[in-house]
Amino acid sequence: MKEANEPNKVVSLSQRQEPAERVGDLLGAVRTIAGRRLQLLLGNMFEHVDDALFDLAEKAENNAAQMHYFDGMREVRKRRPMVERSFLTQVGRELTGITTRPAPAPSASPSSGPVELSLVAENELEESLAITSMTAKNESRLARDLFAVNQRLSVICGGIKIDDSTNPVAPAALAQAFRQAMRELAAEMRVKLIIYKLFDRYVLSALEELYQEINAELVRAGVLPQLRHEVVRGEGPAGTSAATGAVAGTDTAGDTDTEAELASELLHTVRALFSARRAQAAGGAAMVGGVAGAGARSSSLAVPTANELLGALSVLQSQLAAGPIPTAQAMDPATLGREVAQLKEQLLGQIGALRGERPSQVSAIDEDTIDLVGMLFEFILADSTLPAEMQVLLARLQIPYLKAAILDRKLFAHRHHPARRLLDGLAELAKGWSEESDRDHRVHEKIKSIVERLLHDFDDDMGLFERLGDELQAFQEQSRKRAELAEQRVAESARGREKLELARRRAAREILDRIGSQSLPPLIHGVLARAWANHLVLTILRQGEDSPAFSDALRFVNEFIASARPVHTTDDRRTLLRMLPGIERALRRGLANVAFQESDIERLLGQLHAYYRQQLGEMAPDSTTEDVVLPIPESIQPLLDADSAEPEPVQDQPTAVALDNGETIEVEQLKPGTWLEFCPTGDAVTRAKLSWISPMSGRYLFVNRRGLKVGDYAPQELAAALAAGSARILPSEPLFDRAMGAIVDRLSQAATAGTDDLT
């Protein structure tokens, strides 16, 4: 047979050990090759990071997510040199010290499964999963060339055993080195996971040429030139390949959407934690029951098939659909929560009724699915983002969604799955619901009708989710258009008021600056403070502050003030006489602009004629013209008083001290479209969407779901409300994403606690 003629694949390291003087040269050559190749690969990866993050920002579901990706882009551009330097330095240091590294202590295989993942925090967990997945996949793919590199490095290192876990250029070591280098990056975990995915795609997936070049260099140096580059596939960790097969299949496509891959990996994280939980439970049962417990399990009834599960769920679904719809007032949240948690028991009982004998358990994958759907709906009932009435309605969807998850295992793995999009859409619509904003009950009835149709109509037709999703999207689009019209009117009204207020302040400031410390006669001051100030305001609003009309109006203010100066000399008299015709013409135009009637204008000009005749000495000074009430329309209010000081500045920005406040930073980061909940009196809760931020005053305008104004706040007022707890920002992330994150956190904490108890 051919196998008999093949050389033994077990290499005796004692056959060839390089002299000490050559070790440094050979390792130096390997280090040079690795440094050059990895630098090129890492540079190519970072060139794609920017594009990937930009694409994700364009596809982001909301402004907050978009800003996370843009912030990540800026951070990567700034810190990229440090990450590259840290990574390459660490790899080089590991290669240099490979001959002095102590042998690892005997322990469980490093690929012994996801137990380690359950002992760390959520971010660490996701990071560890990404590392484990990419390492296992590439070790299997590169086994041929990596085996040869390991053997040759073992020879030149004096017989020290080098394997996949100790080779500094193996996927595991490179992934860990990159993980350490990524600590230079102050980015969110979602951004880091995207970078890890690109590291896998552009660095680890291109290691074959690196290994081939290292092998070729060492062969030229005479290190194991006859070594066959083959290994038995069974030598790799079997458990690892099985655990990561689904992820590997996802990655080999190459064109798969990055976010979909991350969602799939998050699902693998959840399943790994469920597996660890079952292992802990089985270990505890074994310690308590010993062999008898194992025997009891083996003799239990056969686990239900998927068809049996679906049949039992259909019975429970029909019972639920036939029952009355509970209200938030009548339904105790604790009772509802218990019903959600007890579905597994109800399901086993129903299968027992259909079979005639009750099974004690379901298959591991079905148990994971049941638990995962149950935890999803427990999250919905605990999610304060949803009003209580909406929580009760959405909780009725647990059975249809469990059936959907059994029928289509991709429901939790794909972010754009129709069932997932439908639930996210219902939750987003429900988030802004309130009785006050839904007086016609359109939103409540729409959500209720979709829930009822799923309960009554869903059997095994997964297309129903897509049809209902399209219907919901059309409803939301129609509601959005109506709300946008109302929002535009509210914003335009607020914008008009602010423009008017700013124009009033500008007019008052211009007049006060020109009066200065002078004491004007009441007649002159009255005209400026009321009639002419309003004329300035209208000129600003209609023609702008840079218009010739506004300049002419300010020139009149200067001349009018100058006309009140005492006349002592012939030159003073001549100057005043020259000014009067222009003053009268300007006054006539300005007073007509602010709705003076012709008769009122004539009366005012008559008072001014009398005043100027006194100034010129043509009338006795005991005249009472200065005390005559001006015939100014009631609609024209005074903008400044005789004792006015500079108007208070518009409070358009928080003070420097307030910028250190966490709530103020939150307010500054708010984007239009963000929902907040206001509870100023402690019981009357109002939900409102940030519709508009004034570029002039910085005030925040809030509207309800129908686009009607709820309130507007200065930044400081909003920050104070957040600090006092009378306002809170509602999460903008989709319900499913938030639920999955909470589930991972809950399972991680439970796994950590369970492990701590065992130790």
Side-chain angles (χ1 to χ4, degrees), residues 710-739:
V710 171
D712 68 298
Y713 299 84
Q716 302 95 322
E717 295 171 339
L718 194 53
L722 290 173
S726 59
R728 70 183 182 95
I729 301 170
L730 299 178
S732 57
E733 292 80 10
L735 172 69
F736 238 100
D737 288 352
R738 289 186 289 111

Side-chain angles (χ1 to χ4, degrees), residues 109-115 129 132-133 136-137 139-140 233-248 268 272 275:
S109 169
S111 302
S112 56
V115 176
L129 180 72
T132 303
S133 170
K137 178 184 64 176
E139 283 179 349
S140 175
R233 289 293 176 185
E235 293 176 3
T240 303
S241 60
T244 59
V247 181
H268 283 296
S275 177

